[in-house]
Amino acid sequence: AVAGPPRISVGSKAFTESVVLGELATQLARDAGTTVTHDSALGGTQTAWLALTRGEIDLYPEYTGTLSRDILGRTEPTTLAELRAAVAPLGLKISEPLGFVNGYALGMREERAEELGVETISDLRAHPSLRFGFSSEFVPRTDGWKGLRAKYRLPQTEVQGLEHELAYRGLASGALDLIELYTTDAKLSQAAIRQLKDDAGFFPDYSAVILYRADLAERAPDALAAVRRLEGALDEETMIALNARVDLEGVSEPVAAGGLLAERFPSA
Ligand code: PBE
């Protein structure tokens, strides 16, 4: 075999935070002397997962709840150890948690929620004509609208699929009454939005982790060690601030990621 410098490929899903996390991993691995391509914003969860299992990418940022429910089809809460055992036969490993949770939640404009007296997801049952706007991946997911409407017996039928980036605008304009939030969305802090209480405990925990191919440990040990510096290194506040750099200030993901690394991970 030709022993060249190691090459790896990082993937990310098509939303701001995933691309930023992919960039953080990419730049850390590059600083460790690895040739890295970032296949950025590949698509939804299933697309990224398929690319990983096929070996088209070596790692991508994922969330424990997404892995458990959407990828592995689990219906009961799973521990990280159980998730690790489930992916090991596929030649995959899971990092330690990066340090923050980006969960799903349902949100309404504060004013509208107040006017209708909606505080919990159960309260939505009394308002069947509300217009919902969800990202297209959320609609069919068992940990998304599909499971939610069954669990809470929600009657709404006006459900529109849209890009998550456009959802907040729909709420603001009044075109939509309710959207699904990602709890680390930068736009959440900007608008007066009420996060409805998940009173039936429907949503699982969505801790951010790096999912990677087990053979990376032999193929590119330095890159893997560098990427794993992200473990425990990103708290919720840091992640929201990174998302804000991109979504509110218009900075590119590579620049936002590079800024954090320069500040927190100055290379030796
Ligand atoms: N989440 C919330 C979604 C998107 C944001 C982390 C649960 C996911 O990527 O699975």
Side-chain angles (χ1 to χ4, degrees):
V2 184
R7 306 178 77 89
I8 70 163
S9 151
V10 169
S12 55
K13 299 199 259 185
F15 60 94
T16 300
E17 177 174 291
S18 191
V19 176
V20 170
L21 292 171
E23 262 308 308
L24 288 169
T26 297
Q27 294 180 25
L28 283 165
R30 266 183 204 145
D31 288 348
T34 308
T35 304
V36 190
T37 44
H38 182 185
D39 294 325
S40 176
L42 283 167
T45 298
Q46 296 301 331
T47 306
W49 170 253
L50 201 61
L52 183 73
T53 53
R54 283 179 173 163
E56 291 159 9
I57 56 173
D58 294 300
L59 62 94
Y60 81 95
E62 192 47 281
Y63 303 87
T64 52
T66 301
L67 184 58
S68 172
R69 300 291 175 87
D70 191 48
I71 296 175
L72 299 172
R74 297 298 167 91
T75 49
E76 297 302 319
T78 39
T79 63
L80 191 53
E82 287 164 342
L83 294 177
R84 286 185 167 133
V87 301
L90 305 169
L92 302 178
K93 287 196 164 173
I94 306 172
S95 74
E96 291 301 316
L98 305 188
F100 70 94
V101 168
N102 177 8
Y104 281 129
L106 298 187
M108 294 180 69
R109 266 174 50 229
E110 179 60 42
E111 205 183 80
R112 184 95 174 103
E114 187 59 36
E115 174 188 301
L116 300 177
V118 175
E119 279 173 10
T120 67
I121 298 181
S122 291
D123 290 339
L124 293 171
R125 277 203 292 273
H127 305 280
S129 60
L130 291 179
R131 295 149 307 161
F132 292 176
F134 297 136
S135 47
S136 42
E137 171 166 332
F138 186 77
V139 177
R141 276 174 67 153
T142 56
D143 59 338
W145 172 240
K146 184 174 180 234
L148 198 65
R149 86 190 283 198
K151 172 100 179 178
Y152 281 97
R153 291 175 287 113
L154 296 177
Q156 289 79 11
T157 52
E158 253 193 79
V159 176
Q160 196 178 312
L162 78 174
E163 283 195 44
H164 188 61
E165 278 68 24
L166 303 177
Y168 287 85
R169 233 177 286 166
L171 259 199
S173 74
L176 296 171
D177 298 305
L178 177 143
I179 62 172
E180 112 268 18
L181 314 169
Y182 303 173
T183 54
T184 54
D185 278 338
K187 285 177 185 143
L188 244 183
S189 61
Q190 280 215 312
I193 289 174
R194 179 179 295 183
Q195 234 170 283
L196 306 189
K197 189 169 179 336
D198 179 13
D199 51 322
F202 172 77
F203 290 116
D205 179 73
Y206 293 94
S207 295
V209 292
I210 302 288
L211 249 182
Y212 63 96
R213 296 186 61 85
D215 64 359
L216 263 192
E218 295 95 58
R219 279 175 38 227
D222 296 344
L224 179 59
V227 170
R228 293 190 58 186
R229 291 175 73 193
L230 293 171
E231 293 175 339
L234 300 172
D235 60 17
E236 185 184 49
E237 192 188 343
T238 303
M239 195 63 240
I240 292 171
L242 278 169
N243 289 335
R245 292 277 286 151
V246 178
D247 285 344
L248 306 181
E249 296 168 34
V251 170
S252 74
E253 289 94 342
V255 170
L260 183 90
L261 294 182
E263 187 187 304
R264 299 278 189 90
F265 298 86
S267 43

